[in-house]
């Protein structure tokens, strides 16, 4: 989106000049920058928007004429395609966020992701999930010591004495569900959370980051349907 926004900005700035000045030209640096931007846009969007990618790739060859003149007709066609393309991308982006847990959307997760800070977005979502798990431990046992990471998950998802129940039944299916979610949380801790807990580096791609957000969202939704088991000592006190 950054490359698309940069190229659209040039078109926005240039359209008013073209309107009032016949034979508008561009310097060599601008020409190289615009062509490079259009080339990258075509390449990046080839899979999701093949028609627009192909058409922009074809038209860009005729955007600048000899003597650095801007081809007004081609300029208009490309500009229109870029605006349509941006609207389609924004629509697509808005649609995919409906699959993310609303609590994650209330923080800075979405904002950071949309600005290209993918690792930071996952880090923020990770902290939200961990904070919720810590709160559930405190709800189950207010006297419990502060735990984090794998020890926290082991405590909450213990097969012998779980503090979070994902099913109230006692059938084989219920037991499998309990063990399954326990395994998912433990896997998430090892594969995602431990990689993001201490240092934020911009190493994640957009696709990988969103997949991790979907996983975190799925775990958050699982907690929505779960119940907290109060430890026996607390039940006795009450």
């Amino acid at each position: 989106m950054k490359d698309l926004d940069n190229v659209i900005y040039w078109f926005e700035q240039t359209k008013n000049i073209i309107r009032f000045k016949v034979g508008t030209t561009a310097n060599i640096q601008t020409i190289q920058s615009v062509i490079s931007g259009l080339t990258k846009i075509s390449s990046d969007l080839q899979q999701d928007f093949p028609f627009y990618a192909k058409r922009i790739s074809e038209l860009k060859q005729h955007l600048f004429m000899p003597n650095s003149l801007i081809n007004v007709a081609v300029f208009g066609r490309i500009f229109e395609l870029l605006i349509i393309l941006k609207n389609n991308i924004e629509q697509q982006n808005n649609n995919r966020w409906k699959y993310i847990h609303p609590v994650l959307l209330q923080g800075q997760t979405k904002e950071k992701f949309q600005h290209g800070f993918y690792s930071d977005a996952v880090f923020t979502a990770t902290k939200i999930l961990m904070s919720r798990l810590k709160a559930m431990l405190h709800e189950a046992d207010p006297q419990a010591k502060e735990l984090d990471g794998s020890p926290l998950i082991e405590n909450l998802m213990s097969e012998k004495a779980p503090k979070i129940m994902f099913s109230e039944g006692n059938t084989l299916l219920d037991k499998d569900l309990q063990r399954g979610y326990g395994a998912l949380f433990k896997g998430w801790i090892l594969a995602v959370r431990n990689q993001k807990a201490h240092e934020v580096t911009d190493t994640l791609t957009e696709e990988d980051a969103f997949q991790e957000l979907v996983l975190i969202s799925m775990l958050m939704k699982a907690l929505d349907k779960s119940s907290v088991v109060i430890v026996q000592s607390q039940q006795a006190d009450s």
Side-chain angles (χ1 to χ4, degrees), residues 101 103-104 125-137 139 152-153 156-157 163-168 177-178 181-182 184-185 188 215-229:
H101 194 283
V103 171
L104 300 182
T126 294
K127 290 196 297 183
I128 293 173
L129 178 51
M130 286 304 301
S131 295
R132 184 174 186 183
L133 290 169
K134 291 178 181 180
M136 295 178 82
L137 173 62
E139 180 183 352
L152 174 62
I153 298 298
L156 290 172
M157 311 291 175
K163 294 183 175 65
I164 296 178
M165 294 295 297
F166 297 100
S167 177
E168 299 296 335
L177 184 66
Q178 184 69 28
Y181 273 117
L184 280 175
F185 275 92
W188 168 74
L215 173 59
I216 294 172
S217 183
M218 185 183 76
L219 298 178
M220 289 284 286
K221 291 179 180 179
L223 295 179
D224 290 344
K225 301 175 184 178
S226 70
S227 59
V228 174
V229 179

Side-chain angles (χ1 to χ4, degrees), residues 9 30-31 35 37 54 64 83-84 103 131 141 200 210 215 222:
Y9 178 78
T30 297
I31 293 175
I35 294 299
K54 180 180 179 181
F64 299 101
I83 295 300
I84 295 173
V103 171
S131 295
D141 183 5
V200 177
F210 197 79
L215 173 59

Side-chain angles (χ1 to χ4, degrees), residues 76-138:
R77 292 176 192 170
I78 295 179
F79 192 19
E80 182 179 8
L81 287 173
L82 293 175
I83 295 300
I84 295 173
L85 187 57
K86 182 176 181 179
N87 288 336
N88 286 341
I89 291 174
E90 290 177 346
Q91 181 69 36
Q92 186 182 75
N93 287 340
N94 288 334
N95 287 341
R96 69 179 175 179
W97 287 100
K98 68 183 179 181
Y99 300 111
I100 301 301
H101 194 283
V103 171
L104 300 182
L105 300 181
Q106 294 170 7
Q108 294 183 312
T109 301
K110 182 178 179 181
E111 181 181 355
K112 290 178 178 179
F113 186 94
Q114 291 181 323
H115 283 84
F117 301 111
Y118 303 127
S119 294
D120 199 12
V122 174
F123 179 69
T124 299
T126 294
K127 290 196 297 183
I128 293 173
L129 178 51
M130 286 304 301
S131 295
R132 184 174 186 183
L133 290 169
K134 291 178 181 180
M136 295 178 82
L137 173 62
H138 183 72

